[in-house]
């Protein structure tokens, strides 16, 4: 068992109420889309805040995102204790989700990935910066979580509330944070926007590496341009979501 927090039903938190099946279906689709798009590998995870209870969230039991079904989805309180564990194995790193939901009332979905093109930007002196209009959400200085500053030498996993809170502090008000030598975390007001951000963080990293390989100075997006794009009200994240969804098997 890879869980460090034994939890018996006498101390389990109460449920925030029944889950909207459509919200759970979107969470299952998000897992499979992010696996299909190469953002999540066999590891990594995505959660949503409980639509009816701000102090609860939904996250799969410990399984690979590509094969998750609605039956795998578990409910947690913001200390990342399961409401009804049923002996299931849980993600060690679920504290990422609980601690970010605590710190960011505006956030309703969280993706933690090891998306490969992004990792070099967490370990080098080259900053990840928005290179095209699709990734204008990266406009702020992308923060980089250094777990050594939080807890010295570790195996780099977010194993407890201390690590999760440290990551949430580094994330601050940003849409995305790098995790040095590990991966990244993307957040947003809803699951569709957050999936979009996780996919285009990976795309941006790939494009930026290509621009660096061409040589010479890079003309990045100006913060004003990023503001004009992120301030638009006519952006339809549903459009790519529908396409990404068409490529996955819905269980
Ligand atoms: Zn991880």
């Amino acid at each position: 068992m890879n869980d460090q927090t034994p939890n018996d039903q006498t101390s389990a938190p109460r449920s925030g109420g029944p889950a909207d099946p459509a919200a759970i279906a979107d969470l299952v689709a998000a897992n499979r889309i992010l696996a299909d798009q190469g953002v999540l590998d066999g590891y990594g995870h995505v959660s949503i805040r409980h639509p009816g209870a701000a102090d609860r969230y939904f996250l799969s039991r410990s399984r690979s995102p590509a094969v998750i079904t609605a039956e795998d989805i578990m409910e947690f309180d913001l200390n990342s204790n399961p409401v009804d564990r049923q002996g299931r194995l849980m993600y060690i790193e679920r504290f990422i989700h609980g601690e970010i939901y605590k710190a960011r009332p505006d956030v309703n979905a969280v993706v933690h990935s090891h998306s490969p093109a992004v990792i070099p930007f967490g370990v080098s002196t080259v900053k990840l910066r928005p290179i095209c209009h699709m990734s204008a959400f990266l406009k702020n200085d992308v923060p980089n979580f250094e777990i050594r500053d939080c807890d010295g030498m570790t195996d780099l996993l977010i194993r407890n509330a201390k690590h999760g809170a440290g990551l949430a502090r580094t994330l601050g008000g940003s849409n995305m944070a790098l995790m040095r030598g590990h991966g990244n975390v993307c957040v947003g007001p809803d699951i569709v926007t957050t999936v979009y951000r996780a996919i285009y963080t990976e795309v941006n990293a790939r494009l930026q590496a290509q621009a660096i390989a061409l040589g010479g100075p890079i003309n990045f997006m100006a913060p004003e341009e990023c503001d004009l794009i992120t301030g638009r009200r006519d952006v339809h994240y549903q459009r790519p979501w529908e396409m990404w969804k068409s490529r996955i098997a819905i269980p």
Side-chain angles (χ1 to χ4, degrees):
M1 206 174 284
N2 68 355
D3 169 50
Q4 318 258 306
T5 317
N7 187 276
D8 62 60
Q9 287 308 298
T10 53
S11 62
R14 268 211 310 265
S15 171
D20 175 4
I24 299 299
D26 279 350
L27 179 56
V28 170
N31 273 279
R32 290 171 174 246
I33 286 169
L34 290 166
D36 183 56
Q37 293 295 313
V39 171
L40 297 180
D41 50 13
Y43 301 98
H45 19 87
V46 48
S47 70
I48 53 167
R49 196 190 291 271
H50 192 314
D55 57 355
R56 298 286 184 270
Y57 71 91
F58 292 111
L59 176 72
S60 171
R61 72 183 167 102
S62 181
R63 267 195 110 183
S64 287
V67 296
I68 282 166
T69 68
E71 289 68 44
D72 296 318
I73 304 301
M74 298 174 65
E75 181 181 352
F76 295 88
D77 70 5
L78 298 193
N79 291 325
S80 298
N81 297 309
V83 165
D84 183 11
R85 183 170 177 181
Q86 296 174 15
R88 290 173 285 188
L89 205 61
M90 300 182 287
Y91 292 127
I92 293 171
E93 295 194 287
R94 61 189 182 281
F95 302 96
I96 292 171
H97 303 264
E99 297 304 318
I100 288 176
Y101 289 127
K102 267 186 209 170
R104 289 281 301 272
D106 60 310
V107 164
N108 292 313
V110 175
V111 173
H112 166 56
S113 81
H114 309 143
S115 77
V118 182
I119 291 178
F121 292 91
V123 299
S124 76
T125 56
V126 178
K127 284 189 173 299
L128 185 71
R129 294 178 62 188
I131 201 159
C132 72
H133 68 300
M134 303 297 282
S135 38
F137 61 89
L138 294 172
K139 66 172 174 169
N140 296 320
D141 215 13
V142 170
N144 189 4
F145 177 61
E146 174 50 84
I147 197 166
R148 284 179 205 147
D149 294 342
C150 175
D151 203 19
M153 291 298 155
T154 65
D155 64 2
L156 274 79
L157 298 185
I158 305 296
R159 288 188 168 272
N160 52 46
K162 179 185 178 183
H163 298 161
L167 173 60
R169 255 195 315 278
T170 296
L171 175 68
S174 297
N175 299 319
M176 181 266 180
L178 298 164
M179 298 162 71
R180 192 269 309 161
H182 179 171
N184 73 82
V185 63
C186 286
V187 302
D190 56 65
I191 187 80
V192 173
T193 306
T194 308
V195 164
Y196 171 94
R197 287 175 178 169
I199 290 172
Y200 277 100
T201 295
E202 170 71 11
V203 169
N204 191 91
R206 231 161 33 219
L207 294 177
Q208 189 175 340
Q210 286 170 9
I212 291 167
L214 291 175
I218 298 173
N219 192 357
F220 287 102
M221 302 276 294
E224 295 81 0
E225 291 172 325
C226 291
D227 284 339
L228 286 167
I229 292 163
T230 53
R232 282 175 58 189
R233 291 183 176 277
D234 58 348
V235 176
H236 300 296
Y237 296 119
Q238 282 293 340
R239 199 162 88 190
W241 171 266
E242 198 182 357
M243 180 195 69
W244 292 323
K245 208 169 149 182
S246 74
R247 294 177 176 173
I248 57 160
I250 304 286

